[in-house]
Amino acid sequence: LYVGMPYGPGTGALHALPMSNVTAGGAVAAVTSYRPGQGGLPSVGTRFGYAAR
């Protein structure tokens, strides 16, 4: 499950939740967060997280 926050805080973010986190009885796994300027992503743009594929 991808959750985008294109309008804040800052320039936005995209969070990837494992399906086991959102299903009943599933194991809780780590959530991966992507933010501009971190992990090799460019720190430009104003709507990061608007679209995910």
Side-chain angles (χ1 to χ4, degrees):
L1 174 65
Y2 293 99
V3 178
M5 297 173 47
Y7 299 106
T11 55
L14 178 71
H15 306 285
L17 286 76
M19 283 303 293
S20 60
N21 285 16
V22 295
T23 56
V28 176
V31 174
T32 304
S33 295
Y34 302 96
R35 293 182 179 89
Q38 297 180 359
L41 295 171
S43 59
V44 296
T46 57
R47 297 188 320 172
F48 186 85
Y50 182 76
R53 294 182 188 204

